[in-house]
Structure formats: structure tokens, C-alpha cells
Amino acid sequence: MPAHALLPAVNRLLQQVEEVSGLPVSVFEQRDLDTLATVRPATPEHQAHLIAYRDGDEASSYHVAFEAALLLRIVQVPAEQRVNLTEKREAREKVVGQVEKLFKDSIGLAQARQAGLRFYDGLMLQLRSTGPGLWADRWLFEQLPELRGLQAAVLQGQVQQNVPCLNVEVDKMSPAAVVKASRAMNAAQAFQTAELLGLPPLAIPYQAAGFEALAKELIALTRAEPTTDDPDREIIDGWAEKLGLSRWYVWKTP
């Protein structure tokens, strides 16, 4: 689905990003993406923002809009203040050690290490993306009502896809700190989606699992008035504190 086939509201949002940043936005299909869509802000070497999407279907309009909303926030952070969340060796190795203990005598050390790295990397990706993502979902719901029908289908699908993480079998195969933090972030997404769409049953599994209070605290952090020029970093750091992950990463300049 080329950019010209995107819904008009999405093209208007892309134009807004271009006006704010002073740089073009290129949207293209990339079928080998691991995720549904991704964004790469412009760099001094490449003076264009890139948004790639995986599947050329109708839902791609929402996925592109979501990445564009995130990009709109990024380009408003002064260039000299932009930082990336990066791994912290001590935290990574702690997760690897926990996985090695979990699977002792059942898989080899090399396999256990790879599994531990996936757990750590996956959790850091979830921390980096979910909080700002909730902000983007809510902003799009408020600013682009034309997308609400499509948004409802996408968000319901995401929430339902995450519910199996509550299965008790997951606890037997995952480091406790990782699974607890991941479930809390999924819960925050479920509770916000339930509120936006007026569908309370979407949050019931997480409510029954005891995540309601923490989920609502996380959601509140995405709605707080920013106190710095980098509101996404504020959200991520706030979530990390609530989830016990503050020592799991560092911020570095690109």
C-alpha cells in the first residue's frame, strides 16, 4: 500500500510532521519487518524520516499513523537532547543467569543464554514503546476521529493477543521480574483500550489478576503534563520506577 493509498487523515498527519520538522517523511512497505511498523527519524547523514510498515492492508493506515504520532513527539525534542534507551550489562546478565537456572539440565547453556537475551531485549523494547505508545493511541483517538473504527479493530486485536501472557504456565518458563513487569504493561494497554473504546470486558483478565491499580498508575504517567523537553523519556523513566526497572537500562546519545 503506497503512501498515496493511506487514508486522508493519515496523509494530513504526515504533512504535519513534515511541517514541524522541516524534513520529508518517506512511507514504504517492508515485508520482512519483525513488527507491524517502525519509524526511523532523520539523521544528519539521511535527511528524511522513514516509516516502514509490514502488511499492505487497511490496518496499515493506523500503524503508519501511530508511528507518525510518535515521530511528531520525537522531532519536537531539541536535537542535542535526544537520547536512546540502551542496555545495561549488569541487568542483562542477571536475566541471563535467572534463565540458566530455570532451564538447568533441560537445555544447553548457549540456548539458555539466547533465551535470556530475548527476555531482556523484549522487556526493554516493551518498556521503551508501550508508555509512549499509549500516549500515541490516546492522541490519535482524540485528534483523528476518522480513524476510530480502524483503531478499535487494531487495539482490540492487540489486547486479545496479549491475554495468554497471564497463563500460569508462563511463570514456570520466565524470570519473575520480567513476567511481572510485562504483564503490568500489558494491563495498562488493556485498561486504556477498554476506556477509549467503551469496552470494560477487555480489562477483566488483568483486573482479575490484580493489576488494576498498577495499570492505572502507569496510564496516569502517560497523561501527566511534561516537565522537560523529552516527554517520552519522562514516561519511560516513570514506568521503570513503578516496575522496578530503573537500573535495567541507561540513556545514551545516538
Side-chain angles (χ1 to χ4, degrees):
M1 183 178 64
H4 68 264
L6 296 170
L7 294 176
V10 182
N11 283 319
R12 291 197 301 271
L13 176 55
L14 293 171
Q15 183 178 3
Q16 183 180 355
V17 175
E18 291 181 337
E19 291 171 353
V20 170
S21 68
L23 294 171
V25 180
S26 176
V27 179
F28 58 96
E29 183 176 351
Q30 185 176 338
R31 296 185 180 181
D32 61 348
L33 278 180
D34 293 331
T35 58
L36 291 168
T38 187
V39 60
R40 282 180 284 172
T43 66
E45 295 76 27
H46 189 87
Q47 291 288 292
H49 308 296
L50 305 178
I51 295 178
Y53 59 90
R54 190 179 67 197
D55 305 319
D57 55 15
E58 185 183 17
S60 290
S61 269
Y62 186 74
H63 300 314
V64 170
F66 178 84
E67 300 298 337
L70 294 175
L71 181 57
L72 187 60
R73 292 257 280 195
I74 292 170
V75 299
Q76 294 181 71
V77 177
E80 66 276 8
Q81 296 182 30
R82 294 177 193 170
V83 288
N84 293 329
L85 186 151
T86 57
E87 69 176 32
K88 196 169 185 178
R89 183 179 181 276
E90 298 90 332
R92 183 195 67 200
E93 293 304 316
K94 184 177 180 179
V95 172
V96 169
Q98 290 170 345
V99 173
E100 288 174 347
K101 289 181 180 178
L102 276 173
F103 293 100
K104 186 179 180 181
D105 300 326
S106 61
I107 63 175
L109 283 176
Q111 289 177 293
R113 179 170 185 79
Q114 288 302 312
L117 293 175
R118 286 194 296 272
F119 274 117
Y120 175 81
D121 292 343
L123 188 66
M124 291 301 97
L125 175 60
Q126 190 177 11
L127 176 65
R128 184 170 68 243
S129 60
T130 308
L134 293 194
W135 173 88
D137 284 329
R138 189 174 64 255
W139 186 85
L140 289 168
F141 187 84
E142 295 169 352
Q143 301 296 321
L144 276 71
E146 307 99 308
L147 296 183
R148 286 182 185 174
L150 188 56
Q151 181 178 29
V154 170
L155 296 187
Q156 285 184 73
Q158 290 174 348
V159 170
Q160 291 163 354
Q161 185 178 11
N162 289 335
V163 170
C165 80
L166 293 170
N167 192 304
V168 294
E169 293 300 314
V170 174
D171 296 274
K172 301 176 183 178
M173 302 181 292
S174 313
V178 172
V179 73
K180 181 180 178 181
S182 180
R183 284 170 173 165
M185 289 188 272
N186 288 339
Q189 183 184 27
F191 275 96
Q192 175 169 286
T193 299
E195 179 187 350
L196 286 180
L197 305 184
L199 295 173
L202 288 175
I204 287 177
Y206 295 97
Q207 188 177 43
F211 282 99
E212 182 172 8
L214 180 54
K216 290 185 175 180
E217 289 177 8
L218 296 176
I219 292 169
L221 290 172
T222 72
R223 299 179 177 180
E225 189 68 26
T227 60
T228 71
D229 292 330
D230 192 344
D232 286 348
R233 179 175 177 177
E234 284 188 50
I235 291 172
I236 293 165
D237 284 342
W239 277 40
E241 184 177 352
K242 294 285 185 184
L243 298 170
L245 302 177
S246 294
R247 298 178 182 271
W248 286 48
Y249 62 92
V250 293
W251 293 103
K252 290 186 177 180
T253 54

